[in-house]
Amino acid sequence: MVQVQTLSQPDIQYHPDYKKYLARGQRRKATEDLPKSLPPGFPEKLSSPLVWEGKEIEKRDDWIYKLNDAQREEIHAALNTFKALGLGPGHINQETFPLPTLHPILRELSNEIHNGRGFFVFRGLDVDRYSREDNIIVYAGVSSHIGSLRGRQQDQRQADGTSVVLAHIKDLTRTDQAGNIGGPGSTADKQVFHTDAGDIVSLLCLQTAAEGGESQISSSWLVYNILARERPDLIWTLSQDWPVDGFNNPARPYTSRPLLYHQGATPSTPERVLVQYARRYFTGFLAQPRSTNIPPITEAQAEALDALHFLAEEHSASLDFQKGDVQYINNLSIFHARKGFRDAPGKERHLLRLWLRDPEHAWETPEPLRERWDIVYGDVTPEEQVFPLEPKVQRKNISA
């Protein structure tokens, strides 16, 4: 397939413009000979619990697991058990944070992430009962029963050899760090549909905003089915190499990889497609504008980015994300986003994030993503893990 290359970056920004999206699609259909069939081997349609319509999800609540009082006390006892050991937080695991009755439930919920619907909300942690440090221990402890591996939230170890494994999602635009913000997670801005790095994205809600900030998710498998049926040319575009911005990294100004991957069925695994992308790596955002010294994306790629966002948005579910909720999603089959929000004194939206991997249920990592996954999960020892108590802007990170 031949793509029409632009000589400069297309007219596209971080925040998608629906009129520009429609006009670009009409222009390309009128001027280009677009493929009418899918790339060899790609499925015409995916059939799986991972294919779901957001409006139907919003009508149900079977994706919410609600803690009862006895389970909250079991978590409290596990917190005390861990603290009595005198270990650093990197040593939080299923053995040091024991949950005898919750463990089999959490293991089944991890199976649901990988082989079922792809997400769930764990509701009812009593965050007001604990200090910030204890909330982090509780969050990491419960999460260790979902995914035993915690990933780095930055693209390298810190100067002292430690690795940050917990991120704070909070508006920092009113602090002295505002000029360094290169990602929407540190703003109150709308966050468009994307994926992060790693297998499982987990978020704990410490506090909701005064207004807005709703968490949205969307099935990338449903989006795939729509594109495969209506725009197979965009499947070609997504499955070919893209110039991923290194944001002025002198050693690697950019890398090249697809955004969409196909894995055929094996005797032990079903056929899968995996989408891994974040829009800001192709448009820039605030303190990290798109680099000017790297290849521009094509008009086809610009249309594909908009198609992913607008289809995900149209078919999304808005989760009722409450204080004390933990959201777990399959990062390889689900897009997530956030609506803009407004904070007020005592109502400042504040989430904690972990990237997890469950060796028992983990999907095979596509070869072009293995280097990135190794940065996240490779050799993260208990001794080097750091869990910051307060948010801090990290300009160079691997958040997508």
Side-chain angles (χ1 to χ4, degrees), residues 279-314:
R279 188 179 177 97
R280 69 184 182 87
Y281 284 90
F282 308 102
T283 65
F285 185 86
L286 292 182
Q288 286 185 327
R290 174 77 176 173
S291 297
T292 57
N293 59 339
I294 67 173
I297 64 172
T298 66
E299 285 291 323
Q301 289 169 337
E303 187 188 3
L305 282 179
D306 282 345
L308 290 179
H309 171 78
F310 286 116
L311 287 173
E313 188 171 57
E314 180 182 355

Side-chain angles (χ1 to χ4, degrees), residues 26-38:
Q26 291 169 354
R27 184 168 63 249
R28 294 192 62 240
K29 289 176 184 177
T31 61
E32 298 182 42
D33 182 16
L34 304 178
K36 302 296 192 295
S37 59
L38 292 166

Side-chain angles (χ1 to χ4, degrees), residues 67-243:
L67 286 167
N68 59 39
D69 289 342
Q71 291 167 331
R72 274 186 283 270
E73 289 308 310
E74 182 174 294
I75 291 170
H76 183 70
L79 169 66
N80 289 333
T81 295
F82 178 78
K83 291 172 71 174
L85 296 173
L87 299 171
H91 293 273
I92 297 170
N93 57 44
Q94 296 176 18
E95 288 70 44
T96 61
F97 197 93
L99 297 172
T101 65
L102 269 173
H103 174 78
I105 296 169
L106 294 170
R107 294 308 300 142
E108 181 53 39
L109 289 169
S110 181
N111 183 60
E112 177 71 18
I113 292 172
H114 294 87
N115 302 307
R117 187 183 289 126
F119 74 96
F120 72 93
V121 169
F122 192 71
R123 175 158 292 170
L125 289 180
D126 190 1
V127 295
D128 289 334
R129 182 178 184 178
Y130 301 116
S131 65
R132 176 68 55 77
E133 183 175 6
D134 284 357
N135 270 317
I136 289 173
I137 294 172
V138 165
Y139 175 36
V142 170
S143 297
S144 71
H145 294 261
I146 297 291
S148 59
L149 300 180
R150 287 183 289 270
R152 294 182 182 89
Q153 298 283 326
Q154 298 175 23
D155 62 1
Q156 58 190 3
R157 289 182 171 91
Q158 300 188 104
D160 61 0
T162 59
S163 293
V164 174
V165 297
L166 177 90
H168 293 255
I169 311 299
K170 197 172 190 291
D171 179 18
L172 300 178
T173 57
R174 293 180 175 84
T175 72
D176 58 2
Q177 305 178 60
N180 291 327
I181 293 173
S186 297
T187 75
D189 210 346
K190 174 182 178 178
Q191 198 165 12
V192 302
F193 282 92
H194 66 287
T195 65
D196 283 7
D199 292 7
I200 303 170
V201 178
S202 170
L203 294 167
L204 164 63
C205 183
L206 292 177
Q207 181 59 266
T208 58
E211 181 181 357
E214 292 87 354
S215 178
Q216 298 169 281
I217 61 172
S218 190
S219 166
S220 64
W221 284 33
L222 176 64
V223 171
Y224 173 88
N225 281 350
I226 295 169
L227 289 176
R229 182 177 68 248
E230 300 178 2
R231 291 296 303 275
D233 62 292
L234 294 182
I235 299 296
W236 279 94
T237 299
L238 291 164
S239 63
Q240 295 174 333
D241 279 348
W242 290 53

